[in-house]
């Protein structure tokens, strides 16, 4: 099976070790970064956050989620946020949609780009979606089909791609099968998530190679790393060297569990930008403006940013 | 010039991208990690720290420094520490020696392995050693010669190998010249330091390639990264892929400036061990014992470890 069989453009697979000339940063701070914050951030602050991120040059901002407010009270203001959001030209504002009800809300809000959130493992599918690994695709199929029919673009998140707290290491072949299903269902991009932050660089390379061997080009793949064990940026570089050119990150490293001193969240967008600048890989972000935004957001949240770059430059 | 011309064993240069099967971790926590701590750590705590690190499987422990006590009050207890230290079989306890007076003290203390600390840039040589870049070698020559004559092994630290706060980016050719001088003077190993933590992976590769092109094999080189901009582990992996097999790190990520909230220090040994475990590269360290040691040391210092792994596992 090639990516053409999936209805996707043929992917150019760059030579191993060669870096992409440009990376698209998929900024998840406003959604993944904030969703676990206990104190609800005022919608005006979220709007300013989004606008400052766009002003800093980020062109993909995952704005919010249409998950049920009971599960994520922080994002219960999704409709209000989107109604008041001034969308900038050239910026995408995708939103997370967990199910058919979420899609209804997204369509009513006039959203043009959604993301669905699937599991690569049986146990997490049970715990997060109350379904089997196979059943989740049956659930997503009508959601993705309808979204596509309505002209929306659909990203597929695949979580627990490397390790799972209940199952341990996750076989690459299993992840490639689950990811391929999402692409077959109509996702235009697949984001491979290390939800618990345990992956190391060699594992990242092996998973990407497994996708390539199964006909899925890196042009359809994004990576999503958490820094729980300090590996997020190293894993990202491994993925870049396999030709991946879309990287998820969170301004200021927002995310994770905010209640523990040990909170470590997503890969920090600033630390990624520092790396890309050093490698001469284009990204379009004004680092100073981004650091100022994350330092301001850290003040709003009342604790320092976990991003090393924000700590070094944002003082 | 080859490494054989320097009186060193011929180095095997592994194919680019191939990892060493085993890495020697040069643990700098007791010296580089503690030296900037304002509150003097009791010698009994330092001794317990060293012994627990050795018990955790670390075989190279930079124990202390014979710098003048006026400059580093924290390490003014070097003689007392070494007198009371029970050295374990198979463990090296090198100490930093800044000059001839420091060597006198090291010899009197019965030390078998020293390290000297040189600069790759003119400005830092002036500020740190009050000498020109060339004059520093004239100062080190009799120190290294005498140490070798007394049967000591000598490591050379080279600082500011990538960026310098006054000079900006440091040319690789300049670093290779300075480093080669240290090897020619009799150092058996050169540790390339990113003292201000600004380097990125491509710069690391270019510097190592410059050494290789100048006949210095990676077997003579170690790397020493600081995590100021979140790049320490990523840079380390880049060096491993160039065949470097000695890596400096600090238990718990100790080091840096402890007065600032923003303190970020050396590469954390735990985060390095997590990466090496994932890559299947040997190191000999018991991660749980190391994390327990760093968590205990963080308690002694009264603030959380900056190591992600210690925060994730040490609670």
């Amino acid at each position: 099976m090639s990516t053409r069989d999936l209805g996707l453009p043929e992917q150019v697979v760059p030579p191993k070790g060669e870096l992409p000339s440009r990376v698209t940063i998929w900024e998840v701070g406003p959604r993944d970064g904030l969703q676990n914050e206990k104190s609800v951030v005022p919608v005006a602050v979220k709007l300013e956050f989004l606008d400052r991120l766009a002003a800093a040059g980020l062109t993909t901002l995952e704005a919010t989620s249409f998950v049920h407010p009971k599960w994520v009270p922080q994002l219960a203001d999704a409709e209000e946020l989107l109604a008041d959001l001034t969308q900038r030209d050239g910026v995408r504002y995708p939103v997370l949609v967990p199910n058919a009800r979420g899609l209804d809300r997204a369509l009513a809000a006039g959203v043009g780009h959604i993301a669905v959130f699937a599991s690569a493992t049986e146990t997490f599918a049970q715990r997060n979606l109350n379904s089997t690994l196979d059943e989740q695709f049956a659930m997503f199929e009508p959601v993705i089909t309808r979204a596509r029919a309505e002209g929306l673009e659909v990203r597929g998140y695949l979580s627990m791609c490397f390790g799972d707290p209940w199952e341990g290491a996750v076989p690459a072949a299993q992840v490639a099968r689950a990811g391929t299903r999402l692409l077959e269902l109509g996702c235009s991009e697949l984001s491979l998530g290390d939800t618990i932050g345990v992956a190391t660089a060699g594992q990242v390379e092996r998973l990407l190679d497994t996708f390539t061997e199964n006909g899925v080009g890196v042009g359809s793949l994004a990576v999503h790393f958490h820094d729980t064990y300090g590996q997020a940026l190293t894993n990202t570089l491994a993925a870049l060297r396999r030709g991946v050119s879309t990287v998820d990150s969170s301004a200021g490293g927002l995310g994770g569990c905010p209640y523990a001193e040990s909170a470590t969240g997503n890969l920090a967008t600033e630390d990624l930008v520092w790396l890309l600048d050093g490698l001469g890989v284009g990204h379009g972000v004004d680092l100073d403006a981004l650091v100022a935004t994350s330092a301001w957001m850290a003040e709003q949240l009342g604790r320092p940013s976990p991003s090393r770059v924000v700590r070094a430059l944002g003082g």
Side-chain angles (χ1 to χ4, degrees), chain A:
Chain A
M1 177 183 58
S2 81
T3 48
R4 192 172 293 281
D5 298 329
L6 301 177
L8 301 169
E10 195 67 46
Q11 303 295 343
V12 177
V13 179
K16 280 182 188 175
E18 208 155 287
L19 292 165
S21 60
R22 191 172 179 85
V23 158
T24 297
I25 299 175
W26 185 291
E27 170 61 46
V28 299
R31 196 276 303 169
D32 195 11
L34 290 181
Q35 68 183 7
N36 291 319
E37 288 291 326
K38 187 165 180 171
S39 301
V40 174
V41 176
V43 70
V45 171
K46 292 177 183 173
L47 287 165
E48 182 171 349
F49 188 37
L50 282 161
D51 202 57
R52 290 181 68 160
L53 292 171
L58 288 156
T59 54
T60 307
L61 301 174
E62 193 164 303
T64 186
S65 167
F66 283 111
V67 69
H68 194 289
K70 180 171 138 193
W71 303 117
V72 184
Q74 179 64 252
L75 304 181
D77 58 8
E79 275 86 359
E80 185 186 354
L81 179 92
L82 291 171
D84 291 349
L85 178 68
T86 304
Q87 301 205 4
R88 290 189 181 230
D89 287 345
V91 179
R92 303 183 291 181
Y93 298 85
V95 300
L96 191 69
V97 160
N99 50 30
R101 174 72 189 110
L103 179 59
D104 290 340
R105 292 172 63 199
L107 288 169
V111 161
H113 197 153
I114 65 166
V116 298
F117 189 86
S119 171
T121 69
E122 195 68 60
T123 315
F124 192 62
Q126 286 291 352
R127 297 203 168 224
N128 196 49
L129 302 167
N130 197 27
S131 70
T132 68
L133 190 52
D134 281 338
E135 283 168 1
Q136 68 178 341
F137 300 112
M139 186 191 82
F140 287 128
E141 180 162 19
V143 176
I144 298 171
T145 301
R146 184 168 165 225
R148 293 283 303 266
E150 297 275 0
L152 273 58
E153 202 170 334
V154 184
R155 162 184 254 216
Y157 277 108
L158 194 60
S159 56
M160 304 294 176
C161 287
F162 300 95
D164 173 291
W166 304 280
E167 301 184 15
V170 183
Q174 174 181 330
V175 178
R177 271 196 306 275
T180 303
R181 285 290 297 277
L182 284 174
L183 292 169
E184 288 169 337
L185 290 175
C187 291
S188 57
E189 181 175 85
L190 187 63
S191 173
L192 304 171
D194 181 17
T195 315
I196 57 172
V198 296
T200 48
Q203 204 184 356
V204 172
E205 293 164 354
R206 283 192 293 279
L207 180 59
L208 293 170
D209 290 346
T210 303
F211 271 102
T212 304
E213 289 155 14
N214 283 276
V216 177
V218 288
S220 303
L221 301 176
V223 287
H224 184 109
F225 293 116
H226 284 250
D227 206 31
T228 321
Y229 295 87
Q231 310 293 315
L233 191 65
T234 306
N235 289 340
T236 300
L237 180 56
L240 294 175
R241 290 224 159 107
R242 282 296 195 269
V244 168
S245 62
T246 299
V247 178
D248 299 4
S249 64
S250 171
L254 287 176
C257 174
Y259 317 121
E261 173 83 62
S262 67
T264 56
N266 293 275
L267 170 65
T269 307
E270 291 84 355
D271 299 12
L272 170 63
V273 166
W274 189 275
L275 173 66
L276 296 175
D277 278 344
L279 296 172
V281 174
H283 51 73
V285 175
D286 175 338
L287 182 59
D288 290 338
L290 179 60
V291 166
T293 300
S294 291
W296 164 81
M297 196 65 203
E299 273 174 43
Q300 306 300 312
L301 299 175
R303 42 170 216 287
S305 162
S307 160
R308 304 293 199 203
V309 172
V310 173
R311 290 184 178 210
L313 299 180

